[in-house]
Amino acid sequence: MSALVGLDVSIRERLRGIVGAEHYSDAAEDLYCASYDATLEQARPEAVVYPASADEISRILRLANEAGFAVTPRGSGTGLSGASIPVAGGVVLILTRLNRLLEINADDLYAIAEPGVITQTLADAVAKQGLLYPPDPGSMKSSTLGGNVAMNAGGLRGLKYGVTADYVMGLEVVLPTGEIIRTGAYPVKSVSGYDMTRLMVGSEGTLGVFTKMVMKLVPRPEHCESMLAVFADMAAAAETVSAIIRAGVIPATLEFLDNVTINCVEDFKHVGLPRSAEAILLIETDGVREAAQREAEKIVAICHGHRAAEVRRAADAAERDRIWEARRAALSALSRVRPTTILEDATVPRSRIPEMVAGVRKIAATYNLQIGIFGHAGDGNLHPTIQTDQRDTEEMARVEKAVDEIFALALSLQGTITGEHGVGLVKAKYLKDEFGEEGVRAMRAIKRALDPNNVLNPGKMFR
Amino acid sequence: MAPKTLTAADLGPKETDQAYLCAKCGMCLQVCPTYQLTGREAMCPRGRVQLLRGLLESRLELTDNLRDMIYTCCGCNACYVNCPSGVDVEKLINEARAAMRAKGVELPAGQEAMRSRLADVSNPFGLDRAERAAWLPPELRKPRTAETCLFMGCSISFANNKTGKTILRILEKAGVDFMLLGEEEECCGDPLVRIGETQLAEAMIERNQARFRRYGVRRIVTPCAGCVKSFRRHYGGFESRHLVEWIADLIDEGQIKPRKPVGRKVIYFDGCDMGRQLGIYEPPRRILRAIPGIELIEYDKSREFGQCCGGPLISYDPEMASAVSAQRVAEAAEKGAETIAAACPTCFLNLRSGGQASGQRIDVQDVMALLYRSLKGD
């Protein structure tokens, strides 16, 4: 692969010509503002462009191949892995102008959106038609759908409804070399060719730039039930999670807060959670009213049968809101304790959660760090959240070691280094720990086949 | 030549910590009026906070462009209520502006023009001082000793004295005692604080305070949300209320009796100063609900999540101010509102101009004007 070059005057001129002068910038402030996401990583590009069509993106990528500069796609920049940070300089492709919701089809249950559509906007629009777009990443009020697809974002409903990948039926993609292709199909069933859609989803902007996305929708459940269960020990909470699944109930959400998180939430919001509790589970069932209610009854009984100190079931919307306030406040509460918050997403099979929580606690003690854990207990996707200060270099060195150990721990428990945030920049060095050299080599071969000059989002996923 | 940097010492430790508290999560993007309009990261709260951080770390120079980005913030603080980390962006931005001014950084042209108008004639409109009280009944033009001062504020005095006259008529019907500073009134200082012009603001605030003391004022009532905010933040020793709080109480006490039906579908617009800054959500709604015939509806985002009209930009970037308010007017129209009711005179003026710009057939009224319709002939 040839080395990438910087942008000379003539390239800048041609970029301006493609997107229009007002949608091109190399002002220091705009470059700085494209240099970060929600991680601590940072790198400035040499130019930012705001293209408005697949054709413009195609021309930019052809130019990148011809001249040899890097192109990094970016949505709202809310990522938690550094995938949109332009580590190789070059051009940042900001996709927020491609923000049309093109179609909602209630008969065939899909929506067609451009990548810059905000996830919440899609969710709200389909809700008006009695439909549900299930993936609900925590950033959905700001994140773009294109970013969600590129990172295969998860969310609270993962256990029952799956993740973004389960809702992508087809894509229009500009390949790294500039060709525009279509993947997938509109029918529910389609087995023609390689499953290019699945390959593109979660490719973190390294294999193509999405310009249209066909997203699957489902009917909106008519009813939901919310419960909160308090546990004096972690093992009891984990057994409860397993017992619920064994009983044949798949809750829509099954969330978990540990003791550190509970106390931070209490300090911040005074929700009335018992400070001595080791774990709290927040559980929701949904579907046909009678079914959701019967499942809720089963869950309440299981919680009682597994040494829950207290079980609350919301009688109305107001109570439901109170129950969920603790979960909604979790990240805010953890974020306010120290200036810097590092949110990880190491994930293990749900039966290994007690080992994972105990292991993270031990790591926190070893490195003298405060780490709160909350997350999606139902799918084993935990968020060990490190409270620190990035200006304290000595502490940050300990943080780095702790993070290394957290990932090693997750892998030792048959887990994965990332459940929903992606590899990007920050987890690239761990990828071979999960898949081995050969696994990573196979992935690199795909990347090389589609992006021979390595112009599209170089430096990500692989190290 | 202006210094090209801003250090942590310039900004102070508390505000520097605020800048570092930002986790860059981006939850503020979609609620920021200037980001909604431009889609530019440098025009959103996260972007502005990061630009400040870039300055503090000497990774950026204090260019005119960077300064302008800091100055486009409306100070609406919609970001604050959506921020998981609780960064008080409005305060941080105001302090950054003050720190820049203290280092001799020039104001952007629009703000400089406003500053000079305020310095010359004590109102942001640049109108002759004499006009402030010229529309008042002669007996109210000069102050007298009284416990309650009705502080009219610049927006009503210079740009909307129709509402001012309506307010006087309503208070006359209520039979309550108050005085006005009239010819002696000056800007409350808030517009100057907003642009970081601390010294000029402090002088103005001190002059107003001296007047309040001279005339034995203990309670200030004003129809302007920005003025209430300024009194509560920067003035000492006086009780301050927004007019709608007083009027809502007078209605409850039976001293004002709205009787004539006003058959309108009305949406109440929560201004940022009225709402997020002062927490005055109920009193204007109590007044509107007391008016027979009004069907009161709500924005999808209201109260602490209410969206800014862009009003703070009106004095230095009227075009952007009215582009922002046009969006709020369009949202009201979508809700089926016939009238937008505002209790903040800046929102009122800006929503009116946004309404005209957007071509929507929707009427913008001050809450007091709607109340007065219900009192007429009473």
Side-chain angles (χ1 to χ4, degrees), chain A residues 133-135 161-169 214-218:
Chain A
Y133 172 68
Y161 289 96
V163 296
T164 304
D166 300 307
Y167 295 88
V168 186
M169 298 169 70
V214 185
M215 308 303 291
K216 186 168 94 175
L217 306 172
V218 298

Side-chain angles (χ1 to χ4, degrees), chain B residues 48 52 66-73 93 96-97 100:
Chain B
R48 294 186 181 104
L52 283 176
L66 196 156
R67 174 204 62 188
D68 291 353
M69 299 298 107
I70 300 300
Y71 271 95
T72 52
C73 167
I93 295 282
R97 291 169 180 171
M100 286 196 260

Side-chain angles (χ1 to χ4, degrees), chain A residues 29 36 39 42 76-77 142, chain B residues 24 26 41 46 59 63 65:
Chain A
E29 293 74 24
Y36 53 77
T39 65
Q42 208 165 352
S76 293
S142 287
Chain B
K24 298 181 286 178
E41 176 79 21
R46 177 178 64 177
R59 285 135 72 88
T63 60
N65 186 37

